[in-house]
Amino acid sequence: MAFNISESLLERVRTAATRAKSRAYDDEIKTYINACLYDLDRLNILFDEDDLEDEIAVAVITYVKSKFGTTDASYKESMAKTYEDLRQILMTDKSHKKVT
């Protein structure tokens, strides 16, 4: 499943993950963004892919940072834990809960 990844989201994630303006890794970053949005969708966390709220964007950024950008394993683990915590909060937040 491919999500609509806006240029503004890609820019936010690229800046947060690489601190650079380079587009050299955009395809890889988009892959991780898509994987994160799939994970959130799989957990029935509601979001508008065309207009992500800040808390969803932060979850995406932490997910990407847990996979990309540094060789520091402890930092990646820290970002993965942060993503898991944010995901848990989003799962219990009624404003992000899909009615099934």
Side-chain angles (χ1 to χ4, degrees):
M1 172 179 242
F3 291 92
N4 177 31
I5 300 171
S6 71
E7 186 59 35
S8 75
L9 176 61
L10 179 60
E11 179 68 26
R12 285 177 78 178
V13 174
R14 181 188 317 113
T15 300
T18 67
R19 298 285 182 227
K21 297 281 185 193
S22 172
R23 297 181 173 276
Y25 298 104
D26 280 5
D27 287 341
E28 184 177 358
I29 292 170
K30 285 180 184 179
T31 299
Y32 292 130
I33 292 170
N34 202 50
C36 178
L37 294 176
Y38 172 78
D39 186 47
L40 297 176
D41 185 62
R42 171 186 73 81
L43 295 168
N44 293 319
I45 295 171
L46 182 64
F47 58 88
D48 178 356
E49 66 183 280
D50 295 320
D51 186 24
L52 293 181
E53 293 175 295
D54 286 342
E55 57 270 25
I56 300 294
V58 170
V60 170
I61 288 167
T62 58
Y63 181 90
V64 172
K65 284 181 160 190
S66 77
K67 307 289 184 191
F68 177 84
T70 182
T71 57
D72 184 345
S74 66
Y75 180 78
K76 285 185 175 184
E77 288 173 17
S78 170
M79 289 294 102
K81 174 70 172 117
T82 300
Y83 171 71
E84 289 173 16
D85 292 346
L86 287 169
R87 187 176 69 177
Q88 190 63 38
I89 291 167
L90 291 168
M91 285 173 41
T92 60
D93 181 349
K94 291 180 183 178
S95 69
H96 291 288
K97 187 78 174 152
K98 284 185 182 178
V99 177
T100 55

